[in-house]
Amino acid sequence: MLSSQTSIVSHMDVDVAIIGAGPSGAIAASLLRQQGHKVVVVEKQQFPRFSIGESLLPCCMQFIEQAGMLDAVNQAGFQFKNGAAFRHQGRYTTFDFTDKFTPGPGTTFQVQRGQFDKLLADTAISQGVDIRFGHQVDSVDISAEPTLQVTNEQGQPYQINAKFIVDASGFGRVLPRLLNLERPSSLPSRSAIFTHIEDNICDSEFDRNKILISVHPEHKDIWYWLIPFSNNRCSIGVVGEPHLLAHLTGSLEQQLLDIIAQEPDLKRLLAHAKVVQPCQTLQGYSANVTTLATNKFALLGNAGEFLDPVFSSGVTIAMQSAAMACASLNKQLKGEVVDWQADYAQPLMLGVNTFRTYVQAWYDGRFQDVIFYQQASNNIKQMICSILAGYAWDTHNPFVKESERRLNTIVELCRELDVA
């Protein structure tokens, strides 16, 4: 594996210490390196490693380009993605991400994250970023200039002195744990069961260029993802509140197969599928924090807040937060005063809260009514499509600027016309 690790000394001094080499960490490291800052990335795991969050949104592509990684991603052979498809009780609808309200990329990729994350990290290394795989952050002190106590893969401790810490540790949530920043999410606890399959899909009408979101025929708050890859495999998963999945028995694989069989169209589509990876589960994954950033640290992506996988917003929020944090951090490192609440946390939460509106409305049924409504005007569909494509920070879009009010208005209209 390409590595930038250097010999370990008792301590090192850097401008920025980044915890985690996933998408937000790799993007942040590249952007900071471009500005001439000395950066070190500490990553607990070895790459490649498995992760979910495999269906990128087009909004991601602009950050990949800013980080100088676009050519590498375009040439990697990932599955092309141009939209999203939704299915429920025989109803089927699609959103074409190229036909959206907001300017910007309209296509992206569906990726196996082990390969994708390694590609971004390797590209950052080729740009001169120091990434240290197999190194674990044991403690952090921000009482004065930030310091991190780290153990390398040989079990040897050392210290990093930094002017600033960026936490890009994802579900590891290193700084929230070490600095006691965690707080309960406002979203109900949900569970996911997932794996990779050799799909063997024979249906000629199946669109591999789109993620397929299927809704359980009886429980509208249970849903399935099917994400095609370029190697005739798919990521498949189911999400629901724990009590709705409590009737499932047997191994995780059997539980997943049994609940897939409850959705007729998905059962037919995957009739010849074979599980090729041990099933995994993720429970109570939604998370929140008391503070996203100060003049000593910033939390990116899932390290700060994770909503829900239903609209594939995780990697988009991660990359958006990396770009926003780096813009503010570059100013601070050059001696400018930065208000991290006004300059980073509030602008970031604008998009996060937009996604939150639609996640909550998905589970209470309102947004599903809109998704499956067949007579929506093209203009409204384009505005919704922009959000599904990841452009949740575009305040020119009324469904971003006034997300709750606009959503309720269109929901009422859809229901009235359905009754009529």
Side-chain angles (χ1 to χ4, degrees):
M1 176 178 64
L2 182 64
S3 174
S4 64
Q5 294 178 182
T6 57
S7 59
I8 299 301
V9 294
S10 61
H11 72 276
M12 64 181 304
D13 299 317
V14 298
D15 294 322
V16 185
I18 298 177
I19 306 172
S24 62
I27 294 289
S30 176
L31 294 176
L32 291 168
R33 173 74 180 179
Q34 288 176 16
Q35 296 299 319
H37 304 302
K38 185 178 181 181
V39 180
V40 64
V41 182
V42 180
E43 169 56 55
K44 181 178 180 180
Q45 296 182 291
Q46 296 288 347
F47 282 17
R49 51 89 175 98
F50 178 83
S51 179
I52 56 172
E54 300 142 320
S55 190
L56 305 183
L57 301 183
C59 182
C60 293
M61 303 307 291
Q62 58 192 349
F63 306 118
I64 292 171
E65 183 174 17
Q66 288 172 20
M69 300 176 177
L70 187 59
D71 287 345
V73 171
N74 282 338
Q75 295 168 14
F78 295 123
Q79 172 64 51
F80 177 79
K81 175 184 176 183
N82 62 11
F86 297 84
R87 189 193 300 277
H88 181 227
Q89 291 186 334
R91 294 181 297 173
Y92 179 80
T93 188
T94 63
F95 286 81
D96 179 352
F97 289 161
T98 65
D99 186 17
K100 57 181 171 50
F101 176 84
T102 305
T107 64
T108 184
F109 299 100
Q110 295 169 158
V111 301
Q112 289 167 298
R113 283 285 303 280
Q115 180 186 356
F116 177 74
D117 290 8
K118 185 177 185 301
L119 177 67
L120 297 190
D122 286 351
T123 305
I125 291 170
S126 72
Q127 296 170 348
V129 174
D130 181 4
I131 299 183
R132 301 180 172 218
F133 296 98
H135 291 221
Q136 175 174 305
V137 176
D138 300 314
S139 64
V140 170
D141 185 353
I142 59 169
S143 58
E145 188 168 87
T147 61
L148 302 86
Q149 301 299 326
V150 181
T151 302
N152 70 10
E153 56 188 337
Q154 286 79 37
Q156 300 167 326
Y158 67 101
Q159 178 174 299
I160 299 175
N161 304 316
K163 298 175 183 176
F164 197 87
I165 302 174
V166 171
D167 188 348
S169 61
F171 288 121
R173 297 171 62 78
V174 173
L175 286 190
R177 287 188 295 102
L178 295 178
L179 300 180
N180 195 29
L181 303 175
E182 294 184 301
R183 73 176 187 188
S185 171
S186 61
L187 297 172
S189 177
R190 295 189 174 90
S191 299
I193 307 172
F194 48 89
T195 190
H196 284 180
I197 57 174
E198 182 180 299
D199 59 79
N200 296 314
I201 295 174
C202 302
D203 187 343
S204 60
E205 296 184 0
F206 177 63
D207 189 350
R208 300 192 73 90
N209 295 335
K210 294 178 175 64
I211 181 175
L212 174 63
I213 302 296
S214 302
V215 182
H216 192 279
E218 298 177 14
H219 302 286
K220 293 179 70 175
D221 44 0
I222 294 178
W223 63 275
Y224 311 79
W225 77 70
L226 186 66
I227 303 172
F229 298 133
S230 57
N231 60 353
N232 295 315
R233 293 188 175 186
C234 286
S235 173
I236 177 72
V238 62
V239 175
E241 291 186 41
H243 73 275
L244 294 174
L245 305 179
H247 67 284
L248 300 172
T249 59
S251 65
L252 280 178
E253 180 175 323
Q254 192 59 53
Q255 292 179 43
L256 181 57
L257 294 176
D258 286 349
I259 199 162
I260 288 173
Q262 295 177 20
E263 205 293 294
D265 288 315
L266 201 56
K267 178 183 178 181
R268 174 188 57 80
L269 200 62
L270 300 179
H272 305 291
K274 297 179 181 179
V275 174
V276 294
Q277 179 171 298
C279 288
Q280 298 187 39
T281 185
L282 193 60
Q283 300 178 345
Y285 47 72
S286 296
N288 207 340
V289 291
T290 57
T291 304
L292 277 174
T294 70
N295 64 350
K296 295 183 178 181
F297 70 84
L299 309 180
L300 307 186
N302 295 350
E305 180 162 7
F306 181 71
L307 297 174
D308 192 272
V310 65
F311 301 125
S312 304
S313 62
V315 176
T316 298
I317 293 173
M319 291 187 177
Q320 178 81 44
S321 64
M324 285 181 165
C326 288
S328 293
L329 180 52
N330 185 50
K331 293 178 181 178
Q332 180 171 303
L333 291 173
K334 291 181 177 179
E336 299 180 36
V337 176
V338 173
D339 182 336
W340 281 91
Q341 183 64 23
D343 297 340
Y344 172 67
Q346 291 176 359
L348 177 63
M349 290 307 297
L350 168 70
V352 173
N353 287 330
T354 298
F355 279 125
R356 189 196 315 277
T357 296
Y358 295 98
V359 167
Q360 292 174 328
W362 171 267
Y363 284 105
D364 67 31
R366 289 177 296 152
F367 196 40
Q368 291 190 35
D369 289 344
V370 174
I371 289 287
F372 290 107
Y373 184 64
Q374 299 296 320
Q375 301 179 50
S377 71
N378 189 54
N379 189 44
I380 289 175
K381 189 166 184 177
Q382 288 174 333
M383 293 177 183
I384 293 171
C385 191
S386 286
I387 294 167
L388 294 177
Y391 295 94
W393 289 265
D394 177 16
T395 55
H396 293 97
N397 184 346
F399 282 82
V400 170
K401 188 175 183 180
E402 301 175 298
S403 57
E404 189 69 31
R405 187 179 74 82
R406 291 282 182 167
L407 175 63
N408 286 333
T409 298
I410 191 62
V411 168
E412 291 175 8
L413 176 62
C414 291
R415 290 175 177 175
E416 286 174 3
L417 291 174
D418 273 348
V419 171

